[in-house]
Amino acid sequence: MTSRQATRTKLLDAAEDLFFTRGIAATPIDAVLERAGVSSATLYRAYSSKEALVAAVLDRRHAAWLSAWDAEIADAGSPTEALLCIFDANDAFRSGPRGARWCAFLNTAAEFADPPPQIAEVLERETRTYRERLTRLAGEAGAPDPAALADQLLLVASGELAMRLRTDATTSPARAVAAAVVAAALAP
Amino acid sequence: MTSRQATRTKLLDAAEDLFFTRGIAATPIDAVLERAGVSSATLYRAYSSKEALVAAVLDRRHAAWLSAWDAEIADAGSPTEALLCIFDANDAFRSGPRGARWCAFLNTAAEFADPPPQIAEVLERETRTYRERLTRLAGEAGAPDPAALADQLLLVASGELAMRLRTDATTSPARAVAAAVVAAALAP
DNA sequence: GTCTATATGCGGATAGAC
DNA sequence: GTCTATCCGCATATAGAC
């Protein structure tokens, strides 16, 4: 690994943790520099702006999240379980080393009412990916209207994440809600 | 109405709209002043800081939202309808003159990772109010575990709001999700 | 390629006149 | 009580040395 890549990794690690636990606007770029052990000029050589750094962090995180989700899907015993394991992936991601206060993507969407193109692109891609995958899994589970069930489950998953802003409860009723939704969708 | 109250109303109106459509941190206090047609010194005579203004706006909005919700509950035909009319109240509030980009309270919680006491208090009060009222309505609808159903519905309502960060769709699957949850909870 | 030092602009909040 | 003018600090980003 070149030293350029190592520097980028340090910056992304620091930024990811600070941005998504304290907030992006609330994190001065100096805090990222200090944690990464890197100077200002070095950061701006790697990323053209704070916004570009945000976009890069989201990009990497999106890929990591998809891997975690894929791993859970691969372990699922049935199509219905596969459909619900988005919640397992969320739990796993939260308790892992990349935990965020709630959700990195929703948080970014909340902080940028009118996001710059780089950021808008990764946010849209994330929502699109959710929809596409959930729709596919819903179809495989036999839902008569896979897209509708996918939208319902995306709402439930987003609701679980938003609830982290209200309470620090470790358990969530999300799975129960999702089970009711799936049962209703698959009922004859 | 004294002129002091009129000034406060103008400030609250301006701040409410700007804070919750553009974001709190993204709204400079000067933008509030300009829209309210008031000078800086006048604002700081009424509210000790930007944070105090945020707290005051949330206070007023909480009261307004409870009124809207109460009106919907009063119109409900059955206990089960009353339980679900939180979604009607959300729709009504959104299309009314106090629309926000998603949710004023969740947005504030997202922007302040460690909110000052004034703001923390009103945020906690809002979540508490939701839980208490939904629990009461769930009991009246005959749910065997009213608090559990209330938590599930709060998650669905929060999910609908969070989805506004992902899409500008005007229709939402929230009601369908809630109906499935209620049906599952009330089933024998 | 990385550091130190700094330019530049804007944020919230206040002083003092009227 | 409200305005104009201003203070002060901090944020992002850059220049220039090594």
PDB file of all heavy atoms in Angstrom, chain A residues 108-125:
ATOM      1  N   THR A 108     -26.724  12.424   6.723  1.00  0.00           N
ATOM      2  CA  THR A 108     -26.199  13.329   5.699  1.00  0.00           C
ATOM      3  C   THR A 108     -27.340  13.997   4.939  1.00  0.00           C
ATOM      4  O   THR A 108     -27.309  15.203   4.674  1.00  0.00           O
ATOM      5  CB  THR A 108     -25.301  12.557   4.727  1.00  0.00           C
ATOM      6  OG1 THR A 108     -24.261  11.919   5.477  1.00  0.00           O
ATOM      7  CG2 THR A 108     -24.674  13.485   3.709  1.00  0.00           C
ATOM      8  N   ALA A 109     -28.365  13.216   4.603  1.00  0.00           N
ATOM      9  CA  ALA A 109     -29.516  13.802   3.915  1.00  0.00           C
ATOM     10  C   ALA A 109     -30.178  14.862   4.796  1.00  0.00           C
ATOM     11  O   ALA A 109     -30.664  15.881   4.296  1.00  0.00           O
ATOM     12  CB  ALA A 109     -30.527  12.713   3.555  1.00  0.00           C
ATOM     13  N   ALA A 110     -30.179  14.626   6.103  1.00  0.00           N
ATOM     14  CA  ALA A 110     -30.797  15.601   7.004  1.00  0.00           C
ATOM     15  C   ALA A 110     -29.961  16.871   7.094  1.00  0.00           C
ATOM     16  O   ALA A 110     -30.500  17.979   7.152  1.00  0.00           O
ATOM     17  CB  ALA A 110     -30.981  14.993   8.390  1.00  0.00           C
ATOM     18  N   GLU A 111     -28.649  16.729   7.076  1.00  0.00           N
ATOM     19  CA  GLU A 111     -27.791  17.906   7.263  1.00  0.00           C
ATOM     20  C   GLU A 111     -27.670  18.754   5.996  1.00  0.00           C
ATOM     21  O   GLU A 111     -27.424  19.949   6.082  1.00  0.00           O
ATOM     22  CB  GLU A 111     -26.403  17.474   7.749  1.00  0.00           C
ATOM     23  CG  GLU A 111     -26.405  16.967   9.180  1.00  0.00           C
ATOM     24  CD  GLU A 111     -25.032  17.094   9.825  1.00  0.00           C
ATOM     25  OE1 GLU A 111     -24.487  18.204   9.858  1.00  0.00           O
ATOM     26  OE2 GLU A 111     -24.495  16.060  10.293  1.00  0.00           O
ATOM     27  N   PHE A 112     -27.818  18.114   4.843  1.00  0.00           N
ATOM     28  CA  PHE A 112     -27.727  18.860   3.593  1.00  0.00           C
ATOM     29  C   PHE A 112     -29.105  18.938   2.951  1.00  0.00           C
ATOM     30  O   PHE A 112     -29.543  18.000   2.282  1.00  0.00           O
ATOM     31  CB  PHE A 112     -26.765  18.180   2.620  1.00  0.00           C
ATOM     32  CG  PHE A 112     -25.323  18.256   3.028  1.00  0.00           C
ATOM     33  CD1 PHE A 112     -24.755  17.288   3.845  1.00  0.00           C
ATOM     34  CD2 PHE A 112     -24.520  19.306   2.583  1.00  0.00           C
ATOM     35  CE1 PHE A 112     -23.423  17.349   4.216  1.00  0.00           C
ATOM     36  CE2 PHE A 112     -23.180  19.367   2.954  1.00  0.00           C
ATOM     37  CZ  PHE A 112     -22.634  18.398   3.767  1.00  0.00           C
ATOM     38  N   ALA A 113     -29.774  20.058   3.130  1.00  0.00           N
ATOM     39  CA  ALA A 113     -31.081  20.210   2.502  1.00  0.00           C
ATOM     40  C   ALA A 113     -30.943  20.194   0.988  1.00  0.00           C
ATOM     41  O   ALA A 113     -31.809  19.703   0.277  1.00  0.00           O
ATOM     42  CB  ALA A 113     -31.725  21.504   2.973  1.00  0.00           C
ATOM     43  N   ASP A 114     -29.833  20.717   0.510  1.00  0.00           N
ATOM     44  CA  ASP A 114     -29.600  20.750  -0.928  1.00  0.00           C
ATOM     45  C   ASP A 114     -28.164  20.295  -1.170  1.00  0.00           C
ATOM     46  O   ASP A 114     -27.260  21.103  -1.371  1.00  0.00           O
ATOM     47  CB  ASP A 114     -29.811  22.181  -1.450  1.00  0.00           C
ATOM     48  CG  ASP A 114     -29.770  22.233  -2.967  1.00  0.00           C
ATOM     49  OD1 ASP A 114     -29.921  21.178  -3.602  1.00  0.00           O
ATOM     50  OD2 ASP A 114     -29.578  23.353  -3.509  1.00  0.00           O
ATOM     51  N   PRO A 115     -27.951  18.985  -1.151  1.00  0.00           N
ATOM     52  CA  PRO A 115     -26.581  18.460  -1.155  1.00  0.00           C
ATOM     53  C   PRO A 115     -25.867  18.737  -2.464  1.00  0.00           C
ATOM     54  O   PRO A 115     -26.502  18.760  -3.522  1.00  0.00           O
ATOM     55  CB  PRO A 115     -26.784  16.958  -0.952  1.00  0.00           C
ATOM     56  CG  PRO A 115     -28.180  16.683  -1.351  1.00  0.00           C
ATOM     57  CD  PRO A 115     -28.962  17.929  -1.142  1.00  0.00           C
ATOM     58  N   PRO A 116     -24.562  18.923  -2.403  1.00  0.00           N
ATOM     59  CA  PRO A 116     -23.772  19.049  -3.624  1.00  0.00           C
ATOM     60  C   PRO A 116     -23.820  17.743  -4.409  1.00  0.00           C
ATOM     61  O   PRO A 116     -24.059  16.669  -3.831  1.00  0.00           O
ATOM     62  CB  PRO A 116     -22.363  19.333  -3.109  1.00  0.00           C
ATOM     63  CG  PRO A 116     -22.363  18.934  -1.679  1.00  0.00           C
ATOM     64  CD  PRO A 116     -23.749  19.043  -1.194  1.00  0.00           C
ATOM     65  N   PRO A 117     -23.600  17.799  -5.715  1.00  0.00           N
ATOM     66  CA  PRO A 117     -23.804  16.648  -6.601  1.00  0.00           C
ATOM     67  C   PRO A 117     -23.126  15.368  -6.136  1.00  0.00           C
ATOM     68  O   PRO A 117     -23.747  14.303  -6.153  1.00  0.00           O
ATOM     69  CB  PRO A 117     -23.217  17.132  -7.935  1.00  0.00           C
ATOM     70  CG  PRO A 117     -23.356  18.608  -7.902  1.00  0.00           C
ATOM     71  CD  PRO A 117     -23.191  19.019  -6.461  1.00  0.00           C
ATOM     72  N   GLN A 118     -21.859  15.468  -5.729  1.00  0.00           N
ATOM     73  CA  GLN A 118     -21.146  14.268  -5.271  1.00  0.00           C
ATOM     74  C   GLN A 118     -21.902  13.549  -4.158  1.00  0.00           C
ATOM     75  O   GLN A 118     -21.962  12.332  -4.108  1.00  0.00           O
ATOM     76  CB  GLN A 118     -19.779  14.673  -4.709  1.00  0.00           C
ATOM     77  CG  GLN A 118     -18.648  14.740  -5.706  1.00  0.00           C
ATOM     78  CD  GLN A 118     -17.346  15.087  -4.990  1.00  0.00           C
ATOM     79  OE1 GLN A 118     -17.308  16.076  -4.244  1.00  0.00           O
ATOM     80  NE2 GLN A 118     -16.319  14.298  -5.193  1.00  0.00           N
ATOM     81  N   ILE A 119     -22.425  14.323  -3.239  1.00  0.00           N
ATOM     82  CA  ILE A 119     -23.119  13.737  -2.100  1.00  0.00           C
ATOM     83  C   ILE A 119     -24.512  13.272  -2.494  1.00  0.00           C
ATOM     84  O   ILE A 119     -24.946  12.179  -2.110  1.00  0.00           O
ATOM     85  CB  ILE A 119     -23.176  14.755  -0.937  1.00  0.00           C
ATOM     86  CG1 ILE A 119     -21.754  15.009  -0.414  1.00  0.00           C
ATOM     87  CG2 ILE A 119     -24.076  14.262   0.174  1.00  0.00           C
ATOM     88  CD1 ILE A 119     -21.685  15.976   0.755  1.00  0.00           C
ATOM     89  N   ALA A 120     -25.207  14.074  -3.290  1.00  0.00           N
ATOM     90  CA  ALA A 120     -26.533  13.674  -3.741  1.00  0.00           C
ATOM     91  C   ALA A 120     -26.468  12.327  -4.449  1.00  0.00           C
ATOM     92  O   ALA A 120     -27.324  11.452  -4.255  1.00  0.00           O
ATOM     93  CB  ALA A 120     -27.120  14.742  -4.664  1.00  0.00           C
ATOM     94  N   GLU A 121     -25.421  12.138  -5.226  1.00  0.00           N
ATOM     95  CA  GLU A 121     -25.322  10.903  -6.010  1.00  0.00           C
ATOM     96  C   GLU A 121     -25.240   9.674  -5.105  1.00  0.00           C
ATOM     97  O   GLU A 121     -25.971   8.702  -5.302  1.00  0.00           O
ATOM     98  CB  GLU A 121     -24.094  10.985  -6.928  1.00  0.00           C
ATOM     99  CG  GLU A 121     -24.075   9.943  -8.026  1.00  0.00           C
ATOM    100  CD  GLU A 121     -23.526   8.599  -7.562  1.00  0.00           C
ATOM    101  OE1 GLU A 121     -22.635   8.578  -6.679  1.00  0.00           O
ATOM    102  OE2 GLU A 121     -23.991   7.575  -8.075  1.00  0.00           O
ATOM    103  N   VAL A 122     -24.409   9.728  -4.093  1.00  0.00           N
ATOM    104  CA  VAL A 122     -24.246   8.543  -3.244  1.00  0.00           C
ATOM    105  C   VAL A 122     -25.485   8.322  -2.384  1.00  0.00           C
ATOM    106  O   VAL A 122     -25.870   7.183  -2.105  1.00  0.00           O
ATOM    107  CB  VAL A 122     -22.949   8.615  -2.406  1.00  0.00           C
ATOM    108  CG1 VAL A 122     -22.953   9.768  -1.478  1.00  0.00           C
ATOM    109  CG2 VAL A 122     -22.710   7.320  -1.649  1.00  0.00           C
ATOM    110  N   LEU A 123     -26.162   9.388  -1.999  1.00  0.00           N
ATOM    111  CA  LEU A 123     -27.395   9.222  -1.227  1.00  0.00           C
ATOM    112  C   LEU A 123     -28.478   8.559  -2.081  1.00  0.00           C
ATOM    113  O   LEU A 123     -29.162   7.630  -1.633  1.00  0.00           O
ATOM    114  CB  LEU A 123     -27.878  10.577  -0.706  1.00  0.00           C
ATOM    115  CG  LEU A 123     -26.985  11.252   0.341  1.00  0.00           C
ATOM    116  CD1 LEU A 123     -27.583  12.589   0.781  1.00  0.00           C
ATOM    117  CD2 LEU A 123     -26.761  10.347   1.545  1.00  0.00           C
ATOM    118  N   GLU A 124     -28.611   9.036  -3.306  1.00  0.00           N
ATOM    119  CA  GLU A 124     -29.620   8.428  -4.184  1.00  0.00           C
ATOM    120  C   GLU A 124     -29.274   6.978  -4.475  1.00  0.00           C
ATOM    121  O   GLU A 124     -30.146   6.115  -4.509  1.00  0.00           O
ATOM    122  CB  GLU A 124     -29.721   9.223  -5.500  1.00  0.00           C
ATOM    123  CG  GLU A 124     -30.442  10.549  -5.329  1.00  0.00           C
ATOM    124  CD  GLU A 124     -30.080  11.550  -6.427  1.00  0.00           C
ATOM    125  OE1 GLU A 124     -29.559  11.116  -7.485  1.00  0.00           O
ATOM    126  OE2 GLU A 124     -30.302  12.764  -6.221  1.00  0.00           O
ATOM    127  N   ARG A 125     -28.003   6.728  -4.669  1.00  0.00           N
ATOM    128  CA  ARG A 125     -27.582   5.353  -4.944  1.00  0.00           C
ATOM    129  C   ARG A 125     -27.932   4.436  -3.780  1.00  0.00           C
ATOM    130  O   ARG A 125     -28.363   3.307  -3.973  1.00  0.00           O
ATOM    131  CB  ARG A 125     -26.073   5.338  -5.217  1.00  0.00           C
ATOM    132  CG  ARG A 125     -25.479   3.966  -5.323  1.00  0.00           C
ATOM    133  CD  ARG A 125     -24.211   3.947  -6.176  1.00  0.00           C
ATOM    134  NE  ARG A 125     -23.372   5.112  -5.977  1.00  0.00           N
ATOM    135  CZ  ARG A 125     -22.325   5.153  -5.157  1.00  0.00           C
ATOM    136  NH1 ARG A 125     -22.007   4.089  -4.443  1.00  0.00           N
ATOM    137  NH2 ARG A 125     -21.604   6.248  -5.041  1.00  0.00           N
TER     138      ARG A 125
END
